[in-house]
């Protein structure tokens, strides 16, 4: 992993609404370079309609443990799962013992949890029929990882980090640079209009759960990349941010969804190239957090919100990893190895499960 310090690399009318939608659809047609894209097939666990899930109802997920560490105040243990970006807190000694055993044995399990309290309610052993936690394979390497310290790095240094991994990349049949910010904003707006918080109709097979920031960034990023690649024909990478050392956590205030605090151990979003008057630059697409594409430094600073720090911990991005689009979620706590979801099994299942949920109770 490369380390960087300061100064070094390290009320709208109906007519207006129609014109906006027409512009977005025209852009999609103009960007196509072949036959119309086909949506990835929805898999067996995915339902065709939204689940009527209550906001207070617990959720169930098959997971593997990325890391276990003590909280900053020493009163609890923090549990990080590869398949969930949220940091969970455990104080029960017997439950912690089970989790530690599973972590040591590299064993997957099924948990029932309350995402709004970041607490684990129940742990179940997997049966053979429940299978693996991912439809893909394990990827190692193939990206660019950097140690991050935003307090010592200028925004210009941070924004230059994607240069080798993203700006100089080439992808067969996909354009590498979006021609201007206006085009990028139209693409961003099209993706935003697929949000589950809006009534639709949607231009893709399943709405995207931007309104539920507690979890699901991996699925949102995967679906957004599919849209950018297949509907607009531009290349993408993914930017992963990690808080995976010491008492680091990603601390975010969900300004768009009620203003409550959300705490993650990792986050991911698509990163693309946009041509600007001052040159081609890498921008992050993250409608769960912003209303427009943003530079990397802006995206990272939003994950170190001092108003959302758990007791004894600190808001700090430990590292970033710029990955190929195929990387889906972490395969372990290192920030270097990733699982994939080539069949969109987890992606679409997650979208259906999270469609009726919201971030702030």
């Amino acid at each position: 992993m490369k380390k960087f310090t300061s100064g070094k690399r390290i009320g709208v009318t109906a007519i207006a609404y129609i014109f906006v939608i027409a512009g977005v659809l025209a852009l999609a047609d103009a960007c196509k370079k072949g036959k119309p894209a086909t949506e990835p097939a929805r898999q067996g666990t995915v339902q065709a309609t939204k689940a009527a899930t209550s906001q207070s109802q617990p959720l169930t997920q098959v997971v593997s443990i990325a890391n276990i560490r003590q909280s900053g105040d020493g009163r609890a243990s923090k549990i990080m799962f590869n398949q969930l970006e949220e940091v969970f807190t455990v104080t029960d000694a017997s439950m912690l013992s089970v989790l530690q055993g599973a972590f040591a044995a590299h064993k997957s399990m099924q948990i029932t949890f309350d995402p709004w309290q970041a607490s684990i309610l129940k742990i179940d052993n997997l049966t053979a029929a429940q299978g693996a936690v991912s439809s893909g394979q394990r990827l190692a390497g193939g990206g660019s990882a950097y140690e991050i310290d935003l307090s010592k790095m200028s925004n210009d240094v941070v924004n230059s980090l994607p240069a080798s991994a993203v700006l100089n990349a080439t992808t067969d049949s996909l354009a590498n640079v979006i021609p201007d910010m206006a085009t990028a904003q139209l693409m961003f707006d099209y993706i935003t209009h697929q949000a589950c918080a809006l009534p639709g109709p949607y231009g893709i097979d399943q709405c995207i759960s931007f309104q539920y920031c507690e979890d699901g960034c991996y699925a949102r990023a995967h679906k957004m990349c599919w849209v950018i690649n297949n509907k607009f024909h531009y290349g993408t990478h993914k930017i992963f941010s990690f808080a995976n050392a010491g008492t680091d956590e990603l601390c975010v205030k969900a300004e768009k969804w009620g203003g409550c605090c959300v705490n993650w151990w990792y986050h991911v979003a698509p990163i693309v190239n946009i041509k600007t008057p001052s040159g081609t630059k890498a921008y992050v697409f993250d409608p769960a957090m912003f209303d427009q594409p943003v530079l990397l430094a802006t995206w990272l600073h939003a994950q170190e919100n001092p108003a959302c720090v758990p007791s004894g911990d600190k808001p700090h991005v430990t590292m970033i990893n710029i990955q190929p689009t195929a990387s889906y979620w972490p395969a372990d706590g290192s920030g270097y190895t990733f699982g994939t979801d080539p069949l969109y099994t987890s992606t679409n299942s997650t979208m259906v499960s999270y469609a009726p949920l919201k971030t702030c109770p």
Side-chain angles (χ1 to χ4, degrees):
M1 178 167 61
K2 303 169 187 177
K3 182 175 181 179
F4 290 84
T5 56
S6 179
K8 298 180 181 179
R9 274 197 69 203
I10 179 177
V12 178
T13 66
I15 294 176
Y17 180 78
I18 290 171
F19 274 113
V20 170
I21 298 301
V24 173
L25 295 176
L27 173 63
D29 291 336
C31 291
K32 290 181 180 178
K33 298 180 181 179
K35 296 180 180 180
T38 302
E39 289 289 338
R42 286 187 282 188
Q43 304 300 312
T45 58
V46 179
Q47 305 300 317
T49 57
K50 294 181 182 179
T53 305
S54 167
Q55 185 70 6
S56 62
Q57 185 176 15
L59 303 177
T60 299
Q61 174 77 32
V62 176
V63 295
S64 57
I65 301 173
N67 197 12
I68 299 176
R69 68 187 187 209
Q70 195 171 44
S71 62
D73 59 12
R75 298 178 180 177
S77 292
K78 297 294 185 77
I79 315 297
M80 285 141 281
F81 298 104
N82 295 308
Q83 298 77 23
L84 296 167
E85 60 186 303
E86 187 175 16
V87 179
F88 290 84
T89 300
V90 172
T91 56
D92 181 83
S94 59
M95 179 176 288
L96 178 60
S97 178
V98 172
L99 292 167
Q100 289 171 331
F103 184 39
H106 305 286
K107 183 180 179 181
S108 297
M109 69 199 73
Q110 180 173 281
I111 64 168
T112 301
F113 60 97
D114 182 342
W116 300 279
Q117 298 296 323
S119 61
I120 302 168
L121 306 177
K122 183 182 178 184
I123 301 173
D124 294 306
N125 291 325
L126 286 178
T127 64
Q130 287 173 302
V133 297
S134 173
S135 63
Q137 60 182 349
R138 186 182 177 106
L139 295 178
S144 296
Y146 304 92
E147 185 177 338
I148 293 292
D149 190 340
L150 295 178
S151 67
K152 298 179 180 178
M153 300 168 65
S154 71
N155 288 344
D156 287 342
V157 169
V158 174
N159 292 332
S160 72
L161 298 183
S164 60
V166 179
L167 298 181
N168 300 323
T170 57
T171 307
D172 291 343
S173 76
L174 299 175
N176 190 44
V177 180
I178 299 170
D180 51 52
M181 186 59 71
T183 302
Q185 186 65 53
L186 282 173
M187 294 167 59
F188 190 97
D189 290 344
Y190 175 86
I191 291 171
T192 300
H193 289 142
Q194 311 311 308
C196 297
L198 299 176
Y202 308 115
I204 58 178
D205 63 339
Q206 172 60 43
C207 66
I208 305 178
S209 55
F210 296 121
Q211 86 294 339
Y212 180 62
C213 299
E214 299 282 357
D215 187 55
C217 64
Y218 43 88
R220 297 194 301 267
H222 213 47
K223 183 68 81 172
M224 284 190 280
C225 284
W226 188 94
V227 172
I228 296 168
N229 297 161
N230 291 278
K231 288 190 175 291
F232 297 104
H233 296 267
Y234 288 102
T236 54
H237 280 68
K238 287 179 182 172
I239 177 70
F240 284 83
S241 57
F242 290 94
N244 56 353
T247 59
D248 292 353
E249 287 199 19
L250 304 180
C251 303
V252 179
K253 196 166 188 179
E255 301 285 4
K256 294 181 64 174
W257 313 110
C260 60
C261 289
V262 179
N263 299 97
W264 304 317
W265 79 272
Y266 78 91
H267 190 50
V268 58
I271 189 167
V272 300
N273 293 325
I274 303 175
K275 186 176 181 180
T276 74
S278 57
T280 300
K281 298 181 180 180
Y283 280 79
V284 181
F285 271 40
D286 196 346
M289 296 175 65
F290 300 97
D291 293 323
Q292 64 280 317
V294 295
L295 291 167
L296 178 58
T298 301
W299 187 70
L300 294 176
H301 277 293
Q303 297 173 50
E304 291 192 356
N305 192 318
C308 294
V309 186
S311 177
D313 297 321
K314 65 177 180 177
H316 185 234
V317 179
T318 306
M319 63 176 286
I320 62 171
N321 198 327
I322 301 164
Q323 280 288 305
T325 299
S327 295
Y328 184 61
W329 53 23
D332 56 40
S334 70
Y336 292 101
T337 308
F338 299 86
T340 65
D341 188 35
L343 301 179
Y344 291 80
T345 306
S346 172
T347 302
N348 287 325
S349 179
T350 299
M351 294 300 175
V352 170
S353 296
Y354 291 168
L357 304 182
K358 62 182 181 179
T359 299
C360 303

